Amino acid sequence: SSADLEYLMMPLERALKAEEVLNDRILPQRDRILALQAEGKEGWFVYEKGYDYLFGLDSHEKTGAAAMVLAAIILCFANLYPMETTSGMLPLLNVYAKGRRRTAATKLLLCTLVTVLLFVIAQIPDYRYVVKNFGFPALGAPLCSLESFASWGDGLPVWGGIAVFEGARLMTSLSIPMLVVLFSLWVSNQIITMSVSAGVLLMPMLLHLLEIKFLDKVSFYLPLTGTDLLCWQEGPTKALIYYGIVFVLGTASVILTLRYAHNGYRMNKTAMK
């Protein structure tokens, strides 16, 4: 009967499945480890499925989470400085030096704390899923054991690679609100700030989710997600260039924001005594 035939075929199907796993996963990883050993590097056998998910190599979760963080940043901070103009508070702040200095610094600190909180909240679902379904085996293995980081050498463990991956993305997330704040200070209009920020920062992320990727290399997609920048590259050189640019933009935005706040929240205005 068909039931008997299906029962007899079960051992064969299991054998074929095991052979498929061997050919598709085990043997390529063995060959990669042997190649690393030939180069004088250390490599371990590592079950990579959970790490692929965590690094966003087999899903859109990282892009979606980055888009949500971006949207929240724009909504939270686009009105942080324009409200002082629209509410009539600006003349009062300009009367006192502390109003021009300490208030601005406090707002930037608030931006930093809220951005870190938003970033952490956005990562919780990914880490919860990975821990529940895959765990974190071999966190001490050399990072080059993972195929996507094969060119990174054996000096960094897997847990170090995770720290670099998330740290670089967090740095980008911290630089972006500084750009939004600086632009809002310049235009003093929350609607313009939200519209321009959404068009320049958020739109490339949404287009990528729709498989339209022509803006990826000229937007914050690469450094914010980190997936295509830190993984599958010929070493970390390209990543360092992108993240260096992001760091410079964020730092310059902080300096300019504090300077303009000290000058009475006006562009090109001489310092008030």
Side-chain angles (χ1 to χ4, degrees):
S1 65
S2 59
D4 294 332
L5 180 60
E6 182 178 350
Y7 177 78
L8 293 174
M9 288 293 293
M10 287 176 62
L12 179 59
E13 291 177 354
R14 285 197 295 266
L16 291 175
K17 182 65 176 178
E19 183 179 5
E20 180 183 353
V21 171
L22 178 67
N23 293 330
D24 292 346
R25 297 183 182 178
I26 305 301
L27 293 182
Q29 189 169 13
R30 182 205 64 179
D31 295 339
R32 189 170 65 253
I33 291 174
L34 292 176
L36 289 172
Q37 290 176 349
E39 298 174 4
K41 301 176 182 178
E42 183 182 6
W44 295 8
F45 274 102
V46 176
Y47 183 65
E48 300 192 25
K49 187 68 175 176
Y51 296 112
D52 286 347
Y53 184 92
L54 192 63
F55 292 128
L57 295 172
D58 61 354
S59 66
H60 282 303
E61 273 76 5
K62 277 285 181 282
T63 306
M68 288 190 293
V69 171
L70 262 178
I73 286 173
I74 294 170
L75 288 173
C76 288
F77 306 138
N79 194 37
L80 204 57
Y81 280 95
M83 66 180 292
E84 296 170 349
T85 301
T86 57
S87 64
M89 293 173 58
L90 195 58
L92 296 177
L93 289 174
N94 286 335
V95 172
Y96 300 101
K98 290 183 178 180
R100 300 193 301 273
R101 298 174 184 174
R102 184 174 296 177
T103 300
T106 301
K107 285 191 173 186
L108 292 183
L109 178 61
L110 177 63
C111 288
T112 300
L113 295 177
V114 173
T115 301
V116 171
L117 180 62
L118 291 173
F119 181 85
V120 171
I121 291 175
Q123 310 318 310
I124 289 176
D126 278 357
Y127 279 87
R128 181 177 180 275
Y129 177 84
V130 171
V131 170
K132 179 180 178 180
N133 293 280
F134 304 104
F136 283 109
L139 280 174
L143 184 60
C144 61
S145 301
L146 302 177
E147 184 178 4
S148 52
F149 288 93
S151 61
W152 278 64
D154 58 352
L156 196 66
V158 171
W159 66 263
I162 294 175
V164 170
F165 181 78
E166 299 296 0
R169 295 175 59 242
L170 176 59
M171 184 187 72
T172 303
S173 298
L174 290 173
S175 296
I176 288 176
M178 302 307 161
L179 292 171
V180 173
V181 165
L182 179 62
F183 183 74
S184 71
L185 180 61
W186 179 49
V187 299
S188 298
N189 187 297
Q190 57 266 45
I191 296 179
I192 295 177
T193 301
M194 291 179 63
S195 301
V196 174
S197 299
V200 175
L201 301 176
L202 187 57
M203 187 58 66
M205 307 292 293
L206 300 179
L207 289 176
H208 182 90
L209 288 172
L210 297 174
E211 300 296 333
I212 303 174
K213 305 178 181 181
F214 71 96
L215 290 176
D216 285 359
K217 292 185 178 181
V218 295
S219 69
F220 279 94
Y221 166 78
L222 288 177
L224 191 57
T225 61
T227 300
D228 297 323
L229 195 55
L230 293 174
C231 309
W232 303 105
Q233 296 298 327
E234 298 295 331
T237 303
K238 185 177 179 181
L240 292 175
I241 293 174
Y242 267 87
Y243 285 110
I245 294 173
V246 170
F247 177 77
V248 169
L249 289 174
T251 303
S253 298
V254 171
I255 294 173
L256 290 174
T257 298
L258 293 176
R259 177 194 170 195
Y260 292 141
H262 174 65
N263 290 344
Y265 295 90
R266 292 291 189 275
M267 295 293 177
N268 300 322
K269 184 172 182 176
T270 57
M272 296 177 65
K273 303 297 182 179

